[in-house]
Amino acid sequence: VPVQRDRPTSDMFPVVRNSRTLSRHVTTWSPVGAAFNAQQRKVDLLQKNVGLFGVPALSTPAGFEVAQQRALRETEQLVETACNNPPGALTVETFDQLSDSLCKVADLADFVKVGHPDPAFRDAAEKACINIGTVVERLNTNVELCRSLKNLLDNKEVLDSLDPDTRRVAELFMFDFEISGIHLDESKVRKAVSLNVNLLDLNNEFLNGTHLPNRIEKTALPEHIRHCFSIDGNSIQIGGLHADSPDELVREAAYKIFLFPNSSLLLCLDDLLTCRNELAKLVGYESFAHRALNGTMAKTPGKVLWLTAKDFNLMRDMKMNSRSTVLMPWDHSYFSSAVRAERYKIDPSLYSPYFSLGACMEGLNMLFSQLLGVSFRNEQPMAGEVWSEEVRKLVREHRKCNSCCLAVVHETEGLLGYIYCDFFRRPDKPHQDCHFTIQGGRLKKDGEYQHPVVVLMLSLPPPTRSTPTLLNPGMMENLFHEMGHAMHSMLGRTRYQHVTGTRCSTDFAEVPSILMEFFATDYRVVNQFARHYQTGQPLPKSMVSRLCESKRICGAADTQLQVFYAALDQVYHGKPQNRSTTDILKQMQEKFYGLPYVPNTAWQLRFSHLIGYGAKYYSYLMSRAIASMVWRQCFQKDPFNRDMGERYRREMLAHGGSKEPMLMVQGKELTLTIFLGHYLPPFL
């Protein structure tokens, strides 16, 4: 059982409508645009605290214990129901309810432990994650529970009576039992549970360590660059790579200090990889990678893309006038942007006024409305419902609803779900763009649909009284990417939450989000919403064209970096190497990346994807290939084609994980086979 009201005013920013009269009028921002371009209305503190996400128990950190106990009581009842009822569709429905009951606590806690500003909430949520995770591992090795499912799958008459979705979900639950070692003898089952529980702790320890800053004595850095970092007394704290800094020395210092090896975290990673390998071997797999890829589109490990290094030559040419002419890893991001800027005259500061957050949200609203018949509505959160006063709440609902909300809505289906937008920077908030499922959608016994709830987390500058949040082109593209995940969750209409939305094969889950990047870089789409936040003037067509064309530059080098990451991930999770993770990193970097390894650095300790994407980082490459095919075949000719949009939802988004991914890209198997077989030669 895997765990995975007032509308802001629209006259904030006056617009010159006619250059001949120079008269000033209010903007024509829609309620969606106005909501995101204005400062959030403060919650009425006299309201009753409804608890995080409207869960009353979570008005205080202690509520996580209450939520856990409630979920555990439901779990006991559902296990008894599953084990005592005759095999049939009710068996699968009971398993899904069991999963849903645990996920409602675990998924919410999984977000709160990283996203909540209050340490007490974070600590309580982390304990809940570990406790629920331990329960899940024990359920996955519960022989009686497994037998109830096996009785169903072994009964041909019953199995034939099930609809395809119910049958697939039953098979997926059995798959979870099998990879957890249900077939082992009692002593080995106990060992498997112990390994899984140990992994929960190691995962948390490593993930927390990847985000910790490194400190260095202030005197160790030249005085003229100290101001670029966070100064704390006599030391300097460096919590990132500063990859976009125009000062090469700043980039180099940040790279070497932020990636300096942490001995305890190196030991944690060693233990993590050893534990994963031991678990995989115990349950019958050649390696953890083989276990992780069973059931994905890739099926087996050991393939990676090899690309030309010509893009690095462009960057080297541009670096010729620097203090060092050797292209280094800390130069990649900066000089790839510089090459684009020089070739196409791209200055992000000239684009940002046209990409206010409100304009971008209007663009998404317009695109989804034309393509899929859905729209947003802004809803004022209740007291205690959100963890920061800057969080916006979006709802999808029917267009005819008149309440003051920004919603995710369908023309005929009504309310589809809720999106909490945690978009703005704040202290202790992770500097990551990500999507969290809080509650999965499913069909309930009463015939009502349990609406999905998700959080989108970005790291944008907050608006001020005079200026809305302005995004550079990269931020805008990231917003579209993350909203692709949210749409996958919102538009999935599966019977079972076990397979709703992004709860599908990892190497397919990124397809909808990467597809949204194609929309974000298509001039016909950008033309529809990019307009200056002060004048209302649209982004000049020449600027739109240059921006879209610039995306083609250095694409191979960026992809090669992803190949390096994917190769490293596969080797870490393949057969034990009997050498340090740093030695493996150095070899993989020399083999698959065009830039040299920097001594006394350990980039792998910042590779947080090793937790959520262990042995599956290649998914970004696979998903990009599929998204590219979908774009070319369905939307390249007309990005607003409603028929194609409906087909995309009907044949891909709606199914979540209830359908084999390969079946959802029918007609593309040959192309995908060529991609996998011809462009991904074996590397192990």
Side-chain angles (χ1 to χ4, degrees):
V1 188
V3 179
Q4 261 220 14
R5 213 71 62 219
D6 290 344
R7 183 178 290 130
T9 57
S10 59
D11 58 351
M12 290 287 294
F13 309 107
V15 171
V16 176
R17 290 292 179 211
N18 188 317
S19 59
R20 291 173 296 180
T21 62
L22 296 180
S23 60
R24 295 170 68 85
H25 300 276
V26 296
T27 67
T28 56
W29 298 119
S30 72
V32 176
F36 280 84
N37 269 356
Q39 290 184 310
Q40 178 84 323
R41 176 176 173 235
K42 293 186 182 298
V43 173
D44 184 355
L45 297 179
L46 297 179
Q47 287 181 344
K48 179 183 177 182
N49 188 322
V50 300
L52 288 172
F53 299 100
V55 179
L58 298 182
S59 58
T60 66
F64 274 105
E65 179 65 28
V66 176
Q68 287 177 71
Q69 293 305 316
R70 183 186 301 120
L72 293 179
R73 287 194 298 271
E74 291 176 0
T75 296
E76 291 177 2
Q77 295 169 2
L78 290 167
V79 168
E80 184 177 351
T81 299
C83 293
N84 293 328
N85 281 349
L90 178 61
T91 305
V92 183
E93 292 170 6
T94 303
F95 268 77
D96 193 64
Q97 290 177 47
L98 177 57
S99 176
D100 184 56
S101 180
L102 293 170
C103 284
K104 281 180 178 176
V105 179
D107 288 345
L108 192 155
D110 197 44
F111 163 71
V112 172
K113 74 178 184 180
V114 298
H116 203 290
D118 185 341
F121 266 101
R122 294 200 301 268
D123 290 345
E126 185 166 335
K127 290 176 183 176
C129 283
I130 293 173
N131 292 339
I132 295 293
T134 301
V135 171
V136 168
E137 296 307 332
R138 288 175 179 153
L139 289 174
N140 280 343
T141 52
N142 183 312
V143 175
E144 291 299 317
L145 191 60
C146 178
R147 185 177 292 120
S148 70
L149 189 62
K150 192 173 187 302
N151 289 339
L152 180 151
L153 293 171
D154 288 346
N155 189 323
K156 187 177 185 305
E157 183 179 349
V158 172
L159 198 61
D160 289 344
S161 70
L162 302 180
D163 62 86
D165 285 358
T166 301
R167 182 169 180 166
R168 174 165 170 77
V169 171
E171 292 169 346
L172 289 173
F173 276 121
M174 180 55 72
F175 175 71
D176 293 331
F177 279 119
E178 290 170 350
I179 66 171
S180 296
I182 194 69
H183 55 285
L184 302 175
D185 61 42
E186 188 175 345
S187 63
K188 289 183 178 179
V189 166
R190 287 198 299 270
K191 178 65 173 176
V193 171
S194 176
L195 287 169
N196 273 309
V197 171
N198 190 29
L199 278 172
L200 293 174
D201 292 331
L202 290 170
N203 288 344
N204 280 329
E205 181 183 347
F206 183 77
L207 194 58
N208 290 336
T210 61
H211 303 303
L212 290 177
N214 277 340
R215 290 178 177 271
I216 192 171
E217 288 296 318
K218 189 164 60 175
T219 55
L221 289 183
E223 187 173 357
H224 71 281
I225 67 168
R226 293 174 190 169
H227 70 280
C228 298
F229 307 107
S230 177
I231 299 176
D232 183 11
N234 292 322
S235 63
I236 287 178
Q237 182 172 282
I238 298 182
L241 293 173
H242 292 253
D244 297 327
S245 172
D247 190 320
E248 182 183 359
L249 190 58
V250 169
R251 298 196 305 273
E252 180 180 354
Y255 189 94
K256 290 181 175 179
I257 297 169
F258 185 61
L259 300 184
F260 190 79
N262 178 309
S263 58
S264 62
L265 204 56
L266 282 169
L267 289 174
C268 176
L269 179 56
D270 286 340
D271 290 343
L272 174 65
L273 297 176
T274 298
C275 193
R276 283 179 172 177
N277 181 70
E278 189 176 351
L279 175 62
K281 289 288 189 66
L282 181 65
V283 298
Y285 288 90
E286 185 178 339
S287 68
F288 183 82
H290 286 84
R291 179 180 184 264
L293 298 187
N294 193 349
T296 64
M297 289 192 291
K299 305 299 182 185
T300 58
K303 295 186 176 181
V304 74
L305 180 62
W306 181 257
L307 295 176
T308 176
K310 65 179 182 179
D311 287 349
F312 291 120
N313 291 330
L314 290 174
M315 298 181 206
R316 288 188 184 96
D317 291 342
M318 177 159 282
K319 195 181 179 184
M320 290 301 292
N321 295 326
S322 301
R323 66 183 180 89
S324 170
T325 59
V326 178
L327 195 67
M328 298 299 289
W330 54 77
D331 294 322
H332 183 151
S333 177
Y334 177 75
F335 280 105
S336 62
S337 298
V339 168
R340 294 186 184 104
E342 183 182 75
R343 286 284 186 91
Y344 292 98
K345 311 302 181 191
I346 303 295
D347 181 351
S349 65
L350 297 179
Y351 283 85
S352 293
Y354 296 91
F355 291 143
S356 67
L357 180 56
C360 294
M361 292 301 295
E362 277 196 3
L364 287 162
N365 200 31
M366 171 274 304
L367 177 63
F368 294 147
S369 178
Q370 294 187 47
L371 201 61
L372 298 161
V374 295
S375 56
F376 293 139
R377 185 166 56 85
N378 186 39
E379 182 174 284
Q380 180 69 22
M382 302 292 287
E385 183 179 357
V386 295
W387 48 100
S388 168
E389 64 181 19
E390 293 298 333
V391 174
R392 306 311 205 255
K393 180 183 179 184
L394 307 183
V395 189
R396 280 223 182 261
E397 63 165 15
H398 195 284
R399 286 187 180 184
K400 293 181 180 179
C401 180
N402 293 319
S403 59
C404 296
C405 308
L406 178 56
V408 190
V409 183
H410 192 268
E411 292 171 339
T412 58
E413 296 174 38
L415 177 64
L416 295 181
Y418 301 88
I419 304 175
Y420 289 83
C421 299
D422 188 357
F423 284 170
F424 306 117
R425 298 170 186 157
R426 61 176 178 270
D428 296 327
K429 179 182 175 182
H431 294 289
Q432 287 183 304
D433 297 342
C434 43
H435 162 274
F436 292 86
T437 297
I438 303 300
Q439 175 175 280
R442 71 182 180 97
L443 187 63
K444 297 189 290 187
K445 281 187 175 181
D446 59 7
E448 293 292 317
Y449 199 78
Q450 176 174 289
H451 298 300
V453 178
V454 303
V455 172
L456 293 188
M457 182 184 284
L458 303 178
S459 188
L460 304 176
T464 66
R465 292 184 62 85
S466 59
T467 308
T469 293
L470 303 179
L471 284 63
N472 62 38
M475 291 174 179
M476 181 269 288
E477 192 173 326
N478 286 349
L479 171 62
F480 271 64
H481 177 102
E482 297 304 332
M483 193 59 75
H485 285 306
M487 290 300 295
H488 199 179
S489 295
M490 294 295 110
L491 294 176
R493 274 301 179 267
T494 55
R495 180 176 175 181
Y496 302 101
Q497 69 84 35
H498 189 65
V499 289
T500 187
T502 56
R503 287 176 177 161
C504 58
S505 170
T506 305
D507 51 10
F508 185 75
E510 293 294 333
V511 171
S513 55
I514 292 175
L515 181 63
M516 284 300 297
E517 295 177 23
F518 287 89
F519 286 98
T521 53
D522 186 280
Y523 73 93
R524 294 163 295 184
V525 176
V526 176
N527 268 340
Q528 292 285 321
F529 70 88
R531 52 194 174 113
H532 200 284
Y533 78 97
Q534 290 176 315
T535 68
Q537 294 300 308
L539 183 64
K541 186 175 181 179
S542 60
M543 290 179 67
V544 179
S545 299
R546 292 201 308 271
L547 178 63
C548 296
E549 290 171 8
S550 72
K551 295 295 180 180
R552 303 171 188 170
I553 297 295
C554 296
D558 294 341
T559 302
Q560 193 163 352
L561 181 60
Q562 294 299 310
V563 169
F564 160 50
Y565 296 160
L568 181 67
D569 177 42
Q570 286 295 303
V571 175
Y572 278 165
H573 292 101
K575 297 178 181 179
Q577 298 288 307
N578 298 317
R579 54 195 174 125
S580 73
T581 56
T582 302
D583 286 341
I584 296 172
L585 171 77
K586 182 178 179 181
Q587 183 198 27
M588 290 296 102
Q589 186 162 338
E590 290 171 350
K591 188 172 184 178
F592 293 106
Y593 192 33
L595 301 178
Y597 167 76
V598 179
N600 295 317
T601 62
W603 177 84
Q604 74 273 23
L605 300 184
R606 303 297 182 177
F607 195 8
S608 59
H609 281 79
L610 287 175
I611 301 305
Y613 281 71
K616 296 180 182 179
Y617 192 85
Y618 76 92
S619 297
Y620 286 100
L621 292 168
M622 176 83 83
S623 295
R624 186 163 294 280
I626 297 173
S628 177
M629 295 173 199
V630 174
W631 172 259
R632 290 198 307 270
Q633 296 185 25
C634 301
F635 301 112
Q636 188 172 48
K637 186 177 180 180
D638 178 8
F640 304 108
N641 188 311
R642 180 63 176 273
D643 290 338
M644 281 297 181
E646 294 287 356
R647 181 183 172 191
Y648 170 55
R649 180 192 179 184
R650 184 174 63 251
E651 297 183 9
M652 295 184 74
L653 294 180
H655 296 290
S658 67
K659 192 173 180 180
E660 281 282 354
M662 284 297 187
L663 298 178
M664 291 189 276
V665 289
Q666 284 181 347
K668 305 174 181 66
E669 291 90 342
L670 178 61
T671 310
L672 189 58
T673 300
I674 292 172
F675 174 83
L676 293 175
H678 184 69
Y679 292 104
L680 299 182
F683 74 97
L684 288 178

